[in-house]
Short mmCIF file of all heavy atoms in Angstrom, two decimals:
data_model
loop_
_atom_site.label_atom_id
_atom_site.label_comp_id
_atom_site.label_asym_id
_atom_site.label_seq_id
_atom_site.Cartn_x
_atom_site.Cartn_y
_atom_site.Cartn_z
N ARG A 240 -23.52 -6.32 -2.96
CA ARG A 240 -23.65 -7.51 -2.12
C ARG A 240 -22.29 -7.90 -1.55
O ARG A 240 -21.26 -7.71 -2.20
CB ARG A 240 -24.21 -8.67 -2.93
CG ARG A 240 -24.55 -9.91 -2.09
CD ARG A 240 -24.92 -11.10 -2.96
NE ARG A 240 -26.01 -10.80 -3.89
CZ ARG A 240 -26.47 -11.70 -4.76
NH1 ARG A 240 -25.93 -12.90 -4.83
NH2 ARG A 240 -27.46 -11.36 -5.58
N THR A 241 -22.29 -8.44 -0.34
CA THR A 241 -21.08 -8.98 0.26
C THR A 241 -21.06 -10.49 0.06
O THR A 241 -22.01 -11.19 0.42
CB THR A 241 -20.99 -8.66 1.76
OG1 THR A 241 -20.96 -7.25 1.94
CG2 THR A 241 -19.72 -9.25 2.37
N VAL A 242 -19.97 -10.97 -0.55
CA VAL A 242 -19.79 -12.40 -0.79
C VAL A 242 -18.66 -12.89 0.10
O VAL A 242 -17.57 -12.33 0.10
CB VAL A 242 -19.45 -12.66 -2.28
CG1 VAL A 242 -19.19 -14.14 -2.52
CG2 VAL A 242 -20.56 -12.14 -3.18
N ASP A 243 -18.92 -13.93 0.87
CA ASP A 243 -17.91 -14.50 1.77
C ASP A 243 -17.21 -15.67 1.10
O ASP A 243 -17.82 -16.73 0.87
CB ASP A 243 -18.56 -14.96 3.09
CG ASP A 243 -19.05 -13.80 3.93
OD1 ASP A 243 -18.30 -12.81 4.03
OD2 ASP A 243 -20.16 -13.88 4.50
N LEU A 244 -15.94 -15.49 0.79
CA LEU A 244 -15.16 -16.56 0.17
C LEU A 244 -14.59 -17.46 1.26
O LEU A 244 -13.94 -16.98 2.19
CB LEU A 244 -14.01 -15.98 -0.65
CG LEU A 244 -14.38 -14.98 -1.76
CD1 LEU A 244 -13.13 -14.51 -2.49
CD2 LEU A 244 -15.37 -15.61 -2.73
N PRO A 245 -14.81 -18.76 1.20
CA PRO A 245 -14.32 -19.67 2.25
C PRO A 245 -12.81 -19.78 2.23
O PRO A 245 -12.20 -20.12 1.20
CB PRO A 245 -14.99 -21.00 1.90
CG PRO A 245 -15.27 -20.92 0.43
CD PRO A 245 -15.54 -19.47 0.13
N VAL A 246 -12.17 -19.48 3.35
CA VAL A 246 -10.71 -19.50 3.45
C VAL A 246 -10.21 -20.78 4.10
O VAL A 246 -9.31 -21.45 3.60
CB VAL A 246 -10.22 -18.27 4.24
CG1 VAL A 246 -8.73 -18.39 4.55
CG2 VAL A 246 -10.49 -17.00 3.46
N ALA A 247 -10.77 -21.12 5.27
CA ALA A 247 -10.27 -22.29 6.00
C ALA A 247 -11.29 -22.74 7.04
O ALA A 247 -12.14 -21.96 7.48
CB ALA A 247 -8.94 -21.96 6.68
N GLN A 248 -11.15 -24.00 7.43
CA GLN A 248 -11.93 -24.54 8.54
C GLN A 248 -11.07 -24.38 9.80
O GLN A 248 -9.91 -24.79 9.82
CB GLN A 248 -12.25 -26.02 8.31
CG GLN A 248 -13.40 -26.56 9.14
CD GLN A 248 -14.75 -26.16 8.57
OE1 GLN A 248 -14.81 -25.73 7.43
NE2 GLN A 248 -15.80 -26.27 9.36
N LEU A 249 -11.62 -23.77 10.85
CA LEU A 249 -10.87 -23.53 12.07
C LEU A 249 -10.90 -24.76 12.99
O LEU A 249 -11.69 -25.69 12.79
CB LEU A 249 -11.44 -22.31 12.80
CG LEU A 249 -11.38 -20.99 12.03
CD1 LEU A 249 -12.03 -19.88 12.85
CD2 LEU A 249 -9.94 -20.62 11.70
N TYR A 250 -10.07 -24.74 14.02
CA TYR A 250 -10.04 -25.83 14.99
C TYR A 250 -11.41 -26.05 15.63
O TYR A 250 -11.77 -27.15 16.01
CB TYR A 250 -9.04 -25.54 16.12
CG TYR A 250 -7.64 -25.22 15.67
CD1 TYR A 250 -6.95 -24.13 16.20
CD2 TYR A 250 -6.99 -26.00 14.72
CE1 TYR A 250 -5.66 -23.84 15.81
CE2 TYR A 250 -5.70 -25.72 14.32
CZ TYR A 250 -5.04 -24.63 14.88
OH TYR A 250 -3.76 -24.34 14.49
N THR A 251 -12.16 -24.95 15.76
CA THR A 251 -13.47 -25.00 16.41
C THR A 251 -14.57 -25.52 15.49
O THR A 251 -15.73 -25.55 15.88
CB THR A 251 -13.86 -23.60 16.90
OG1 THR A 251 -13.90 -22.71 15.77
CG2 THR A 251 -12.86 -23.07 17.92
N ASP A 252 -14.21 -25.86 14.26
CA ASP A 252 -15.14 -26.32 13.23
C ASP A 252 -15.93 -25.17 12.62
O ASP A 252 -16.88 -25.39 11.89
CB ASP A 252 -16.10 -27.38 13.76
CG ASP A 252 -16.67 -28.24 12.63
OD1 ASP A 252 -15.94 -28.48 11.66
OD2 ASP A 252 -17.86 -28.62 12.70
N ASP A 253 -15.54 -23.93 12.96
CA ASP A 253 -16.15 -22.77 12.33
C ASP A 253 -15.45 -22.49 11.00
O ASP A 253 -14.28 -22.88 10.80
CB ASP A 253 -16.04 -21.53 13.22
CG ASP A 253 -16.95 -21.60 14.43
OD1 ASP A 253 -18.00 -22.26 14.31
OD2 ASP A 253 -16.60 -21.03 15.47
N GLN A 254 -16.14 -21.78 10.13
CA GLN A 254 -15.59 -21.45 8.81
C GLN A 254 -15.00 -20.03 8.82
O GLN A 254 -15.67 -19.09 9.24
CB GLN A 254 -16.68 -21.54 7.74
CG GLN A 254 -16.20 -21.25 6.33
CD GLN A 254 -15.36 -22.38 5.75
OE1 GLN A 254 -15.69 -23.54 5.89
NE2 GLN A 254 -14.26 -22.04 5.11
N LEU A 255 -13.75 -19.90 8.41
CA LEU A 255 -13.11 -18.59 8.25
C LEU A 255 -13.31 -18.15 6.81
O LEU A 255 -13.06 -18.90 5.87
CB LEU A 255 -11.63 -18.68 8.57
CG LEU A 255 -10.85 -17.36 8.61
CD1 LEU A 255 -11.33 -16.49 9.75
CD2 LEU A 255 -9.35 -17.63 8.75
N THR A 256 -13.78 -16.90 6.63
CA THR A 256 -14.07 -16.42 5.28
C THR A 256 -13.40 -15.09 5.00
O THR A 256 -13.05 -14.34 5.92
CB THR A 256 -15.59 -16.25 5.06
OG1 THR A 256 -16.09 -15.26 5.97
CG2 THR A 256 -16.32 -17.57 5.28
N MET A 257 -13.21 -14.81 3.72
CA MET A 257 -12.71 -13.52 3.24
C MET A 257 -13.89 -12.75 2.64
O MET A 257 -14.41 -13.14 1.60
CB MET A 257 -11.63 -13.72 2.18
CG MET A 257 -11.06 -12.42 1.62
SD MET A 257 -10.18 -12.69 0.02
CE MET A 257 -9.01 -13.97 0.45
N PRO A 258 -14.34 -11.67 3.28
CA PRO A 258 -15.48 -10.92 2.74
C PRO A 258 -15.07 -10.04 1.56
O PRO A 258 -14.07 -9.34 1.61
CB PRO A 258 -15.95 -10.08 3.93
CG PRO A 258 -14.73 -9.91 4.78
CD PRO A 258 -13.89 -11.14 4.58
N VAL A 259 -15.88 -10.09 0.51
CA VAL A 259 -15.69 -9.27 -0.68
C VAL A 259 -16.96 -8.47 -0.92
O VAL A 259 -18.04 -9.05 -1.07
CB VAL A 259 -15.38 -10.13 -1.93
CG1 VAL A 259 -15.19 -9.23 -3.15
CG2 VAL A 259 -14.17 -11.01 -1.70
N ARG A 260 -16.86 -7.14 -0.92
CA ARG A 260 -18.01 -6.30 -1.22
C ARG A 260 -18.02 -6.03 -2.73
O ARG A 260 -17.07 -5.44 -3.25
CB ARG A 260 -17.95 -4.98 -0.45
CG ARG A 260 -19.10 -4.02 -0.73
CD ARG A 260 -20.46 -4.55 -0.27
NE ARG A 260 -20.49 -4.78 1.16
CZ ARG A 260 -20.78 -3.85 2.08
NH1 ARG A 260 -21.06 -2.62 1.69
NH2 ARG A 260 -20.79 -4.17 3.35
N VAL A 261 -19.07 -6.49 -3.38
CA VAL A 261 -19.22 -6.30 -4.82
C VAL A 261 -20.19 -5.15 -5.05
O VAL A 261 -21.35 -5.21 -4.64
CB VAL A 261 -19.75 -7.58 -5.51
CG1 VAL A 261 -19.82 -7.37 -7.02
CG2 VAL A 261 -18.86 -8.78 -5.16
N VAL A 262 -19.70 -4.08 -5.69
CA VAL A 262 -20.53 -2.91 -5.99
C VAL A 262 -20.67 -2.85 -7.51
O VAL A 262 -19.71 -2.62 -8.24
CB VAL A 262 -19.89 -1.61 -5.46
CG1 VAL A 262 -20.82 -0.42 -5.73
CG2 VAL A 262 -19.59 -1.73 -3.97
N ARG A 263 -21.89 -3.06 -8.01
CA ARG A 263 -22.15 -3.07 -9.45
C ARG A 263 -22.78 -1.74 -9.87
O ARG A 263 -23.76 -1.28 -9.28
CB ARG A 263 -23.13 -4.18 -9.82
CG ARG A 263 -22.69 -5.60 -9.53
CD ARG A 263 -21.50 -6.05 -10.35
NE ARG A 263 -21.48 -5.59 -11.73
CZ ARG A 263 -22.22 -6.09 -12.72
NH1 ARG A 263 -23.06 -7.07 -12.48
NH2 ARG A 263 -22.12 -5.62 -13.94
N GLY A 264 -22.24 -1.16 -10.91
CA GLY A 264 -22.89 -0.01 -11.51
C GLY A 264 -23.98 -0.46 -12.47
O GLY A 264 -23.96 -1.60 -12.96
N ARG A 265 -24.92 0.41 -12.74
CA ARG A 265 -25.99 0.07 -13.68
C ARG A 265 -25.48 0.10 -15.12
O ARG A 265 -26.03 -0.56 -16.00
CB ARG A 265 -27.16 1.03 -13.52
CG ARG A 265 -27.86 0.90 -12.18
CD ARG A 265 -29.12 1.74 -12.11
NE ARG A 265 -29.77 1.60 -10.82
CZ ARG A 265 -30.58 0.60 -10.49
NH1 ARG A 265 -30.83 -0.36 -11.37
NH2 ARG A 265 -31.14 0.54 -9.29
N ARG A 266 -24.42 0.87 -15.35
CA ARG A 266 -23.87 0.99 -16.70
C ARG A 266 -22.54 0.25 -16.78
O ARG A 266 -21.82 0.11 -15.78
CB ARG A 266 -23.70 2.47 -17.06
CG ARG A 266 -25.02 3.22 -17.20
CD ARG A 266 -24.81 4.70 -17.42
NE ARG A 266 -24.27 5.34 -16.22
CZ ARG A 266 -23.96 6.64 -16.16
NH1 ARG A 266 -24.10 7.40 -17.24
NH2 ARG A 266 -23.50 7.15 -15.04
N PRO A 267 -22.19 -0.26 -17.97
CA PRO A 267 -20.96 -1.04 -18.11
C PRO A 267 -19.72 -0.19 -17.90
O PRO A 267 -19.73 1.03 -18.08
CB PRO A 267 -21.04 -1.57 -19.54
CG PRO A 267 -21.94 -0.62 -20.26
CD PRO A 267 -22.94 -0.14 -19.24
N GLY A 268 -18.64 -0.85 -17.49
CA GLY A 268 -17.36 -0.19 -17.27
C GLY A 268 -16.35 -1.22 -16.79
O GLY A 268 -16.65 -2.42 -16.72
N PRO A 269 -15.15 -0.79 -16.45
CA PRO A 269 -14.11 -1.73 -16.00
C PRO A 269 -14.47 -2.38 -14.66
O PRO A 269 -15.34 -1.91 -13.92
CB PRO A 269 -12.88 -0.83 -15.86
CG PRO A 269 -13.20 0.43 -16.58
CD PRO A 269 -14.68 0.59 -16.51
N THR A 270 -13.76 -3.44 -14.35
CA THR A 270 -13.83 -4.07 -13.03
C THR A 270 -12.51 -3.80 -12.32
O THR A 270 -11.44 -4.10 -12.85
CB THR A 270 -14.06 -5.58 -13.14
OG1 THR A 270 -15.32 -5.82 -13.78
CG2 THR A 270 -14.07 -6.23 -11.76
N VAL A 271 -12.60 -3.22 -11.13
CA VAL A 271 -11.41 -2.83 -10.36
C VAL A 271 -11.47 -3.48 -8.99
O VAL A 271 -12.52 -3.46 -8.33
CB VAL A 271 -11.33 -1.30 -10.20
CG1 VAL A 271 -10.20 -0.91 -9.24
CG2 VAL A 271 -11.12 -0.63 -11.56
N PHE A 272 -10.35 -4.07 -8.56
CA PHE A 272 -10.30 -4.58 -7.19
C PHE A 272 -9.50 -3.64 -6.30
O PHE A 272 -8.51 -3.04 -6.72
CB PHE A 272 -9.76 -6.02 -7.12
CG PHE A 272 -8.26 -6.16 -7.28
CD1 PHE A 272 -7.39 -5.95 -6.22
CD2 PHE A 272 -7.72 -6.56 -8.51
CE1 PHE A 272 -6.02 -6.12 -6.36
CE2 PHE A 272 -6.35 -6.72 -8.67
CZ PHE A 272 -5.49 -6.49 -7.59
N LEU A 273 -9.97 -3.49 -5.06
CA LEU A 273 -9.24 -2.81 -3.99
C LEU A 273 -8.92 -3.84 -2.93
O LEU A 273 -9.84 -4.52 -2.44
CB LEU A 273 -10.08 -1.69 -3.36
CG LEU A 273 -10.62 -0.58 -4.24
CD1 LEU A 273 -11.42 0.40 -3.40
CD2 LEU A 273 -9.47 0.13 -4.94
N SER A 274 -7.67 -3.98 -2.57
CA SER A 274 -7.30 -4.98 -1.57
C SER A 274 -6.46 -4.34 -0.48
O SER A 274 -5.68 -3.41 -0.72
CB SER A 274 -6.53 -6.13 -2.22
OG SER A 274 -5.36 -5.67 -2.87
N ALA A 275 -6.63 -4.85 0.73
CA ALA A 275 -5.85 -4.38 1.88
C ALA A 275 -5.56 -5.57 2.80
O ALA A 275 -6.17 -6.63 2.67
CB ALA A 275 -6.60 -3.29 2.64
N ALA A 276 -4.63 -5.36 3.70
CA ALA A 276 -4.26 -6.37 4.71
C ALA A 276 -3.83 -7.69 4.08
O ALA A 276 -4.10 -8.76 4.63
CB ALA A 276 -5.41 -6.58 5.71
N ILE A 277 -3.15 -7.64 2.94
CA ILE A 277 -2.45 -8.83 2.48
C ILE A 277 -1.42 -9.21 3.53
O ILE A 277 -1.17 -10.39 3.78
CB ILE A 277 -1.81 -8.58 1.09
CG1 ILE A 277 -2.87 -8.72 0.00
CG2 ILE A 277 -0.65 -9.54 0.83
CD1 ILE A 277 -2.35 -8.59 -1.40
N HIS A 278 -0.82 -8.21 4.14
CA HIS A 278 -0.09 -8.40 5.39
C HIS A 278 -1.07 -8.04 6.51
O HIS A 278 -1.56 -6.91 6.57
CB HIS A 278 1.15 -7.51 5.45
CG HIS A 278 2.19 -7.89 4.45
ND1 HIS A 278 2.81 -6.98 3.62
CD2 HIS A 278 2.71 -9.10 4.14
CE1 HIS A 278 3.67 -7.61 2.84
NE2 HIS A 278 3.63 -8.90 3.14
N GLY A 279 -1.37 -9.01 7.36
CA GLY A 279 -2.50 -8.87 8.28
C GLY A 279 -2.41 -7.74 9.27
O GLY A 279 -3.44 -7.35 9.85
N ASP A 280 -1.23 -7.18 9.50
CA ASP A 280 -1.10 -6.09 10.47
C ASP A 280 -1.07 -4.71 9.79
O ASP A 280 -0.91 -3.70 10.47
CB ASP A 280 0.15 -6.28 11.34
CG ASP A 280 1.45 -6.35 10.54
OD1 ASP A 280 1.40 -6.32 9.28
OD2 ASP A 280 2.52 -6.46 11.16
N GLU A 281 -1.23 -4.66 8.47
CA GLU A 281 -1.20 -3.39 7.75
C GLU A 281 -2.64 -2.90 7.56
O GLU A 281 -3.30 -3.26 6.59
CB GLU A 281 -0.46 -3.56 6.43
CG GLU A 281 1.00 -3.98 6.63
CD GLU A 281 1.79 -4.10 5.34
OE1 GLU A 281 1.22 -3.80 4.27
OE2 GLU A 281 2.97 -4.49 5.40
N ILE A 282 -3.10 -2.07 8.49
CA ILE A 282 -4.54 -1.82 8.61
C ILE A 282 -5.01 -0.48 8.04
O ILE A 282 -6.22 -0.24 7.98
CB ILE A 282 -4.99 -1.93 10.09
CG1 ILE A 282 -4.30 -0.87 10.95
CG2 ILE A 282 -4.68 -3.33 10.62
CD1 ILE A 282 -4.80 -0.85 12.39
N ASN A 283 -4.11 0.41 7.64
CA ASN A 283 -4.56 1.67 7.03
C ASN A 283 -5.49 1.42 5.86
O ASN A 283 -6.49 2.12 5.66
CB ASN A 283 -3.35 2.49 6.53
CG ASN A 283 -2.84 3.45 7.58
OD1 ASN A 283 -3.53 3.79 8.53
ND2 ASN A 283 -1.60 3.90 7.41
N GLY A 284 -5.16 0.41 5.04
CA GLY A 284 -5.96 0.12 3.86
C GLY A 284 -7.37 -0.33 4.19
O GLY A 284 -8.29 -0.10 3.40
N VAL A 285 -7.55 -0.97 5.35
CA VAL A 285 -8.89 -1.38 5.77
C VAL A 285 -9.78 -0.15 5.93
O VAL A 285 -10.93 -0.13 5.49
CB VAL A 285 -8.82 -2.19 7.08
CG1 VAL A 285 -10.22 -2.61 7.53
CG2 VAL A 285 -7.92 -3.42 6.93
N GLU A 286 -9.24 0.88 6.55
CA GLU A 286 -10.00 2.11 6.75
C GLU A 286 -10.19 2.87 5.44
O GLU A 286 -11.24 3.48 5.21
CB GLU A 286 -9.30 3.00 7.78
CG GLU A 286 -9.95 4.35 8.02
CD GLU A 286 -11.36 4.29 8.60
OE1 GLU A 286 -11.81 3.18 8.98
OE2 GLU A 286 -12.01 5.34 8.67
N ILE A 287 -9.18 2.83 4.57
CA ILE A 287 -9.32 3.47 3.26
C ILE A 287 -10.49 2.86 2.50
O ILE A 287 -11.34 3.57 1.95
CB ILE A 287 -8.02 3.34 2.45
CG1 ILE A 287 -6.91 4.21 3.07
CG2 ILE A 287 -8.24 3.75 0.99
CD1 ILE A 287 -5.54 3.99 2.47
N ILE A 288 -10.57 1.55 2.47
CA ILE A 288 -11.65 0.88 1.74
C ILE A 288 -13.00 1.18 2.39
O ILE A 288 -14.00 1.41 1.69
CB ILE A 288 -11.39 -0.64 1.67
CG1 ILE A 288 -10.20 -0.90 0.74
CG2 ILE A 288 -12.63 -1.39 1.17
CD1 ILE A 288 -9.80 -2.36 0.61
N ARG A 289 -13.06 1.21 3.72
CA ARG A 289 -14.33 1.55 4.39
C ARG A 289 -14.83 2.91 3.94
O ARG A 289 -16.01 3.09 3.64
CB ARG A 289 -14.15 1.54 5.91
CG ARG A 289 -15.45 1.72 6.67
CD ARG A 289 -15.20 1.98 8.15
NE ARG A 289 -14.66 3.31 8.39
CZ ARG A 289 -15.39 4.42 8.46
NH1 ARG A 289 -16.70 4.37 8.29
NH2 ARG A 289 -14.82 5.59 8.68
N ARG A 290 -13.93 3.89 3.87
CA ARG A 290 -14.33 5.23 3.47
C ARG A 290 -14.68 5.31 1.99
O ARG A 290 -15.60 6.03 1.59
CB ARG A 290 -13.23 6.24 3.82
CG ARG A 290 -12.97 6.36 5.31
CD ARG A 290 -12.03 7.52 5.62
NE ARG A 290 -11.56 7.46 7.00
CZ ARG A 290 -10.79 8.39 7.57
NH1 ARG A 290 -10.40 9.45 6.86
NH2 ARG A 290 -10.40 8.28 8.82
N VAL A 291 -13.96 4.57 1.14
CA VAL A 291 -14.28 4.55 -0.28
C VAL A 291 -15.69 4.02 -0.50
O VAL A 291 -16.45 4.55 -1.32
CB VAL A 291 -13.25 3.69 -1.07
CG1 VAL A 291 -13.74 3.40 -2.48
CG2 VAL A 291 -11.89 4.39 -1.12
N LEU A 292 -16.06 2.99 0.23
CA LEU A 292 -17.39 2.40 0.07
C LEU A 292 -18.51 3.33 0.53
O LEU A 292 -19.68 3.09 0.22
CB LEU A 292 -17.47 1.07 0.85
CG LEU A 292 -16.63 -0.07 0.27
CD1 LEU A 292 -16.65 -1.27 1.20
CD2 LEU A 292 -17.12 -0.46 -1.12
N ARG A 293 -18.16 4.40 1.23
CA ARG A 293 -19.15 5.38 1.68
C ARG A 293 -19.19 6.62 0.78
O ARG A 293 -19.94 7.55 1.07
CB ARG A 293 -18.85 5.80 3.12
CG ARG A 293 -19.01 4.66 4.14
CD ARG A 293 -18.47 5.05 5.51
NE ARG A 293 -19.22 6.17 6.07
CZ ARG A 293 -20.32 6.05 6.80
NH1 ARG A 293 -20.83 4.85 7.04
NH2 ARG A 293 -20.92 7.10 7.30
N LEU A 294 -18.40 6.63 -0.29
CA LEU A 294 -18.39 7.78 -1.19
C LEU A 294 -19.74 7.91 -1.89
O LEU A 294 -20.24 6.95 -2.49
CB LEU A 294 -17.28 7.63 -2.24
CG LEU A 294 -15.84 7.72 -1.75
CD1 LEU A 294 -14.88 7.42 -2.89
CD2 LEU A 294 -15.54 9.09 -1.16
N PRO A 295 -20.34 9.10 -1.86
CA PRO A 295 -21.63 9.29 -2.55
C PRO A 295 -21.57 8.98 -4.03
O PRO A 295 -22.56 8.54 -4.62
CB PRO A 295 -21.93 10.78 -2.30
CG PRO A 295 -21.15 11.15 -1.09
CD PRO A 295 -19.90 10.32 -1.15
N GLY A 296 -20.41 9.19 -4.65
CA GLY A 296 -20.28 8.98 -6.09
C GLY A 296 -20.50 7.54 -6.53
O GLY A 296 -20.75 7.28 -7.72
N LEU A 297 -20.39 6.59 -5.61
CA LEU A 297 -20.58 5.19 -5.99
C LEU A 297 -22.02 4.91 -6.45
O LEU A 297 -22.28 3.90 -7.10
CB LEU A 297 -20.24 4.26 -4.82
CG LEU A 297 -18.75 4.15 -4.44
CD1 LEU A 297 -18.56 3.09 -3.38
CD2 LEU A 297 -17.89 3.85 -5.66
N LYS A 298 -22.94 5.82 -6.12
CA LYS A 298 -24.33 5.63 -6.56
C LYS A 298 -24.45 5.69 -8.07
O LYS A 298 -25.41 5.14 -8.65
CB LYS A 298 -25.23 6.68 -5.92
CG LYS A 298 -25.32 6.56 -4.40
CD LYS A 298 -26.17 7.68 -3.81
CE LYS A 298 -26.22 7.59 -2.29
NZ LYS A 298 -27.01 8.69 -1.69
#
Side-chain angles (χ1 to χ4, degrees):
R240 188 188 305 178
T241 299
V242 177
D243 291 317
L244 303 181
V246 171
Q248 199 79 15
L249 299 177
Y250 306 133
T251 59
D252 202 35
D253 288 331
Q254 182 73 44
L255 187 65
T256 63
M257 179 198 306
V259 180
R260 179 65 61 86
V261 183
V262 183
R263 299 294 322 284
R265 294 187 180 278
R266 293 174 291 178
T270 298
V271 172
F272 76 81
L273 302 180
S274 59
I277 280 184
H278 293 131
D280 58 357
E281 298 182 3
I282 63 175
N283 268 341
V285 179
E286 177 63 8
I287 290 171
I288 290 178
R289 186 191 72 81
R290 296 189 192 185
V291 167
L292 291 173
R293 295 170 63 88
L294 291 174
L297 289 187
K298 295 177 182 178

